[in-house]
Amino acid sequence: METYADLIECEDVLLFANAAITSTGQREFHSAAGEQRLSLAFLHSYIHGNYPGLYAATLALDINDHNAALIIANLLRRKGGHEGDARLIAWRLGRMSPPRVYRLFQELRRAGVNNRRTRALVRDWLAARPDLAFDAVKYRSAVKSAVRHAHLRPEGELGDFLFAPFSRARYDTPILETWRRAHYDKNALYDLPYTVAEGFAARHGIARAVFLERVAPRLTRLERLRLSGAAERDGVRTEADLAAMPLVRLASYVLSPAADVRTRRRAELVAALRASAARAAGARAGTWGSVAAVLDDSFSSFGSPVKRRRPLAVALACHYLLEALAGSYRALWLSRRSDPLQVRPSGPTPLGRRIIDALEGRPRLLVIVSDGWDNAPPGLASEVLRVWRRKLDPAGEVGIVHLNPVFDAERFEVRRLAPVVPTAGVRDAEDLPALVELARFAEGRTGLAELRAYLEDRAARR
């Protein structure tokens, strides 16, 4: 039988998991960056101090890289540590982008975290890089910092390149030699990574359009997407493979152009969104039965200047993924727009009314994607959900889950709509199936033992 302390622990861990999924310490619509960072710092300190084992296990969840880096740094600062922590940390570092990992290593160096575990971690991660010479060119100062911090001695050309790059008249490693030649040969820079080549192009005074046209074939998938708009203004096609993009990143791209541009490219954009959603759904496509979604496109879905339209992009991405997962699907945008490609942040947040509309069809599952600021009228959504769950559907035949893409720094959690409905933080639409599973722990039907088992199972599979 679970005690009151067990219930508190379960709630605390879920609270932290939601924060670690949604918050990146950046400004949101209702809170400043400083508030976000202060709130996150408190949660990390609280969970790490009170539940160290579960704190490490949250690395196995679909938390964002910002919080994963904070967890790893805190674990490495602690003396000792569980043997499984090292395996989880190594696995998580393997999922993070190289710039994020190098930034973490630099932060550890600045903080003076240089114990044996940290040095071994840096050493092993660098040894596992598929092409460390490429990293040395693209992230030269970061690689140099990591090597110094771990007390490593790179042999041969790599060591010379990092610490005395012009001491050699020639390098045998192709990319190192290309970097050397790019200082005086304009043609050599096009064989370098884009970010490095861009600096050399500016140094040589190469016109932007000429540079983009020649470098386009060597761009990475994400670079093609990020540069596509600017490149097209210069008359250059980057040939970005939109369908290969992650759903939320693709949704952000789709929402960026003006409405008339979206209309003109409608077939291309919808096809890309559906292809990306089908890939994310995988074998689960069409297996969820009847699904309804209430999707928030109110003014607060704009997000903030540093996370422009992020909440709306999450809602749009979830829309296409739920469409792929469902056997039958109905989407209800707060603005009552029928074309998801034309949604934009505008108006109040009448969640209660749209939830009533969604429940009239008694779907098997109702998913609400919103920041939870119900204000037209305030509190209606909470009352609708309370009456539905307590009076009209006490057996829970209609599953209801609220997915919130925004962390409420003042409350130390993602804002909930009603106590009777589970809420989970969401950042990437691909995590939606796992989040629906995780949300059941917040519903009160399962407790700490099940949550511990779930986390341990996720950690064991990493």
Side-chain angles (χ1 to χ4, degrees):
M1 180 177 179
E2 292 196 332
T3 65
Y4 181 70
D6 291 335
L7 296 176
I8 293 296
E9 182 174 345
C10 187
E11 289 181 0
D12 285 347
V13 173
L14 289 171
L15 184 91
F16 177 71
N18 283 330
I21 288 169
T22 55
S23 181
T24 55
Q26 295 171 301
R27 179 181 170 185
E28 297 284 4
F29 188 86
H30 292 283
S31 59
E35 295 173 297
Q36 288 278 321
R37 289 194 294 268
L38 184 62
S39 186
L40 263 186
F42 168 78
L43 285 175
H44 277 269
S45 178
Y46 176 74
I47 300 298
H48 188 205
N50 288 282
Y51 318 113
L54 291 177
Y55 180 71
T58 55
L59 284 173
L61 298 177
D62 299 307
I63 63 175
N64 62 55
D65 285 351
H66 175 77
N67 285 287
L70 289 175
I71 292 172
I72 292 170
N74 288 333
L75 291 174
L76 292 174
R77 286 189 183 99
R78 185 181 66 188
K79 292 182 179 180
H82 192 272
E83 183 180 347
D85 293 353
R87 179 176 51 80
L88 259 181
I89 290 172
W91 171 83
R92 183 70 208 204
L93 288 178
R95 291 189 66 196
M96 293 163 64
S97 67
R100 174 76 71 174
V101 177
Y102 283 122
R103 193 153 59 243
L104 169 62
F105 291 163
Q106 289 176 312
E107 290 166 1
L108 290 171
R109 186 183 184 192
R110 282 192 293 269
V113 181
N114 196 26
N115 51 49
R116 186 177 63 178
R117 286 195 305 151
T118 302
R119 294 196 300 272
L121 182 75
V122 175
R123 180 199 64 214
D124 294 344
W125 188 85
L126 290 174
R129 293 297 296 154
D131 189 350
L132 193 55
F134 178 90
D135 282 13
V137 170
K138 190 170 184 178
Y139 317 108
R140 183 166 171 266
S141 62
V143 175
K144 187 195 301 186
S145 174
V147 165
R148 280 178 169 161
H149 190 54
H151 302 171
L152 302 177
R153 296 178 179 272
E155 297 180 356
E157 291 188 337
L158 187 59
D160 290 342
F161 176 79
L162 288 174
F163 300 104
F166 299 106
S167 63
R168 287 178 177 251
R170 179 179 177 81
Y171 287 98
D172 293 329
T173 306
I175 193 167
L176 302 184
E177 174 62 14
T178 301
W179 179 87
R180 187 192 65 81
R181 287 176 47 235
H183 285 78
Y184 59 85
D185 183 355
K186 294 181 180 181
N187 293 319
L189 68 89
Y190 296 105
D191 292 326
L192 292 171
Y194 167 74
T195 52
V196 180
E198 191 175 35
F200 279 111
R203 178 184 298 184
H204 289 302
I206 299 172
R208 183 69 175 171
V210 174
F211 169 68
L212 288 175
E213 185 173 4
R214 289 199 58 181
V215 82
R218 297 185 61 85
L219 293 174
T220 66
R221 188 179 63 184
L222 294 181
E223 287 169 349
R224 289 176 190 276
L225 182 65
R226 189 172 68 247
L227 291 170
S228 58
E232 285 172 11
R233 286 194 294 271
D234 289 321
V236 179
R237 294 281 295 179
T238 61
E239 304 299 336
D241 184 3
L242 299 182
M245 295 295 126
L247 258 174
V248 174
R249 193 182 294 269
L250 176 56
S252 294
Y253 171 81
V254 168
L255 293 170
S256 298
D260 61 326
V261 176
R262 286 183 246 172
T263 300
R264 188 171 67 249
R265 299 179 59 190
R266 178 181 178 78
E268 173 197 1
L269 297 177
V270 171
L273 284 163
R274 285 181 171 154
S276 182
R279 186 179 65 253
R284 292 171 297 213
T287 63
W288 278 24
S290 61
V291 176
V294 172
L295 305 161
D296 189 344
D297 58 348
S298 65
F299 185 62
S300 63
S301 68
F302 169 79
S304 70
V306 293
K307 301 177 76 172
R308 193 178 298 271
R309 292 182 294 270
R310 175 79 191 194
L312 184 59
V314 171
L316 181 63
C318 288
H319 161 73
Y320 279 99
L321 181 54
L322 288 169
E323 181 185 63
L325 290 166
S328 61
Y329 176 65
R330 185 185 180 204
L332 298 96
W333 293 91
L334 298 190
S335 64
R336 297 185 179 271
R337 288 186 177 91
S338 57
D339 183 359
L341 225 61
Q342 296 302 326
V343 294
R344 59 186 177 86
S346 62
T349 313
L351 280 170
R353 293 191 176 97
R354 294 307 266 163
I355 290 171
I356 291 173
D357 294 339
L359 290 173
E360 283 180 350
R362 296 190 72 91
R364 181 174 177 270
L365 174 66
L366 168 61
V367 178
I368 305 164
V369 184
S370 169
D371 62 8
W373 286 83
D374 176 39
N375 57 24
L380 179 60
S382 177
E383 186 62 13
V384 166
L385 292 169
R386 184 190 69 81
V387 171
W388 176 266
R389 186 57 81 217
R390 296 282 168 78
K391 303 293 185 182
L392 302 178
D393 185 25
E397 294 179 4
V398 176
I400 306 175
V401 176
H402 172 212
L403 300 181
N404 193 328
V406 179
F407 177 66
D408 189 337
E410 185 177 345
R411 293 169 175 249
F412 296 100
E413 64 177 347
V414 290
R415 195 178 186 90
R416 301 186 67 177
L417 285 176
V420 295
V421 168
T423 296
V426 60
R427 178 170 173 81
D428 296 315
E430 287 84 354
D431 300 332
L432 187 150
L435 292 174
V436 170
E437 180 183 15
L438 182 64
R440 78 179 192 270
F441 294 106
E443 204 167 6
R445 298 182 182 182
T446 52
L448 179 62
E450 290 84 356
L451 178 59
R452 281 185 176 276
Y454 176 76
L455 288 174
E456 289 170 1
D457 178 64
R458 294 270 302 203
R461 286 188 276 131
R462 298 314 187 189

